[in-house]
Amino acid sequence: MIKHWLCKDLYEEICRLERSLQELEEQIIELRMQLNMKVDEANRLAVENASLRHKLEMMERREERLREFLRKIKVPLVIVDEEQFEDVDVDLEADLKD
């Protein structure tokens, strides 16, 4: 009788542990899928970042070549940092009437 009772308890515990193990395996699968999605997203963002960085470098080089060209042909060049100035509405009609 005690043997049967002990075996039953052990059997129930084994079943409970098997269910827990199955749940953990399912969670691991889900977490792996999420990790793979995050890795894919990180790779896409890294590629996009590299592309944008390349475009920025190309624009900076183009801007520098244009500046050098304008210096060579002696065109007066004023570089304005737009972030330091507010937008101002200018009335050009007065100048056009002159």
Side-chain angles (χ1 to χ4, degrees), residues 18-34:
E18 285 176 343
R19 285 191 303 273
S20 295
L21 183 61
Q22 180 65 32
E23 289 173 9
L24 289 172
E25 288 173 348
E26 290 172 2
Q27 288 178 355
I28 289 171
I29 291 169
E30 178 66 29
L31 290 171
R32 280 186 182 149
M33 288 173 38
Q34 290 177 10

Side-chain angles (χ1 to χ4, degrees), residues 39-77:
V39 167
D40 289 345
E41 182 181 2
N43 288 336
R44 281 192 304 274
L45 290 172
V47 168
E48 182 179 354
N49 187 25
S51 174
L52 291 172
R53 189 181 318 257
H54 175 72
K55 287 179 183 179
L56 178 62
E57 289 171 0
M58 296 301 289
M59 288 174 62
E60 288 171 345
R61 287 184 198 146
R62 193 175 308 128
E63 180 182 354
E64 186 58 34
R65 285 192 304 254
L66 181 58
R67 269 194 225 136
E68 288 300 318
F69 174 73
L70 292 173
R71 279 188 199 116
K72 284 181 183 178
I73 62 171
K74 300 191 190 239
V75 171
L77 184 61

